[in-house]
Amino acid sequence: IVAEIMGHRAGWLTLGAGLAGGADVVLIPEIPYDVEKIAEAIGQRSKRGSNFSIVAVAEGAMSRDDARVFDSAEKKLERAKSLNDKIEAKHAIAALEVRHQDNTLRLAHQLEGLTHLESRVTILGHVQRGGTPSAADRILATRLGTACADLIAREQFGVMVAAHGESAEPVPLDQVAGKRKSVPRDHPWVDAARRLGTCLGD
C-alpha cells in the first residue's frame, strides 16, 4: 500500500502518521529517497514472510535525482539578477512542480517493477482532515480556543496562539508568517523511526 499524505514542503504529518500507523517506509521532503533502497526494504520484509508493506509518502517527497534538479533550479532563482532570469527560473520551478504532481504514482510503478509486487495507491488528500477528534485533540482545541478568547478580550491582536508544554502562548505573527518549519534530520521522531527499522528511503 502506497499512501500519499499531505506535506508539500514539510514531512511532519507523514512522519507522525507513519509512526502512529506502523508504516514500513516513510518518505518525507526533508530526506530525498533512493527507490532501490525502498525496494530492498520491501524485499527484505517479503523474505521474512510479510505479505504486505505500508509506504507513507508525503506529497512533496522526492527522489535524490529530483531533489538535485529542484535544488539547482532554486539556486538559479537565488542567483538571478535580471527580471528575465528570475521569470525564467520561476517558470522552470513551476514546470518541475507540475511534473512532480504524479510522483506517488510514479513511485508505485517503480516499486512494482523492482519488487514484482502489486502496488495499491491511496491519495488521502484532505480526507485526513475529516477524522473524528480524539480526546487529546479536543483538549488541545479547548486550551488554544480559550487562550485565543482571552487575548481577544485583552485586545491583543497580531499573534497566533501556540501550545508550549502545558501552556498556550501568543506568538507574534511576524515570527511565524512565511516561515517553514522543516523536520530536522536528527529529530527524535526520525530517530525513533530508524530504531524501529522503518525505511526512510536513504
Side-chain angles (χ1 to χ4, degrees):
I1 301 293
V2 179
E4 183 182 278
I5 298 167
M6 288 190 303
H8 186 64
R9 296 285 186 185
W12 294 106
L13 288 174
T14 304
L15 182 56
L19 281 172
D24 306 295
V25 177
V26 175
L27 306 176
I28 60 176
E30 294 85 348
I31 303 175
Y33 63 81
D34 179 337
V35 70
E36 291 188 4
K37 290 193 176 180
I38 300 165
E40 185 182 327
I42 291 169
Q44 290 297 324
R45 284 180 50 75
S46 293
K47 284 179 187 169
R48 291 193 302 265
S50 179
N51 61 359
F52 75 94
S53 290
I54 298 171
V55 180
V57 187
E59 60 188 339
M62 286 187 209
S63 70
R64 287 177 178 169
D65 291 340
D66 286 349
R68 275 193 288 271
V69 172
F70 263 93
D71 189 49
S72 174
E74 286 176 348
K75 283 180 179 164
K76 189 175 180 182
L77 177 59
E78 288 170 15
R79 290 190 309 267
K81 300 269 191 269
S82 71
L83 181 61
N84 247 9
D85 288 346
K86 287 180 183 177
I87 290 170
E88 188 180 313
K90 284 182 181 178
H91 282 303
I93 290 169
L96 289 169
E97 286 178 348
V98 167
R99 181 182 169 272
H100 188 74
Q101 287 176 351
D102 68 346
N103 184 61
T104 301
L105 296 172
R106 276 189 290 125
L107 172 64
H109 290 305
Q110 288 174 311
L111 290 175
E112 278 188 342
L114 290 167
T115 64
H116 307 292
L117 299 170
E118 180 186 6
S119 289
R120 295 186 184 182
V121 177
T122 300
I123 299 176
L124 297 174
H126 291 86
V127 157
Q128 69 187 115
R129 289 185 174 174
T132 304
S134 67
D137 295 331
R138 292 175 187 274
I139 291 168
L140 177 63
T142 302
R143 284 174 49 210
L144 297 179
T146 54
C148 185
D150 287 343
L151 290 168
I152 292 169
R154 293 197 310 257
E155 297 186 0
Q156 186 175 349
F157 305 110
V159 297
M160 64 159 262
V161 180
H164 188 259
E166 291 303 311
S167 65
E169 300 174 2
V171 178
L173 287 177
D174 62 5
Q175 289 183 20
V176 290
K179 297 179 182 172
R180 183 185 319 140
K181 184 177 178 183
S182 300
V183 178
R185 286 179 176 242
D186 62 350
H187 192 273
W189 289 7
V190 172
D191 182 53
R194 291 193 193 282
R195 291 173 67 182
L196 285 170
T198 304
C199 173
L200 296 177
D202 59 346

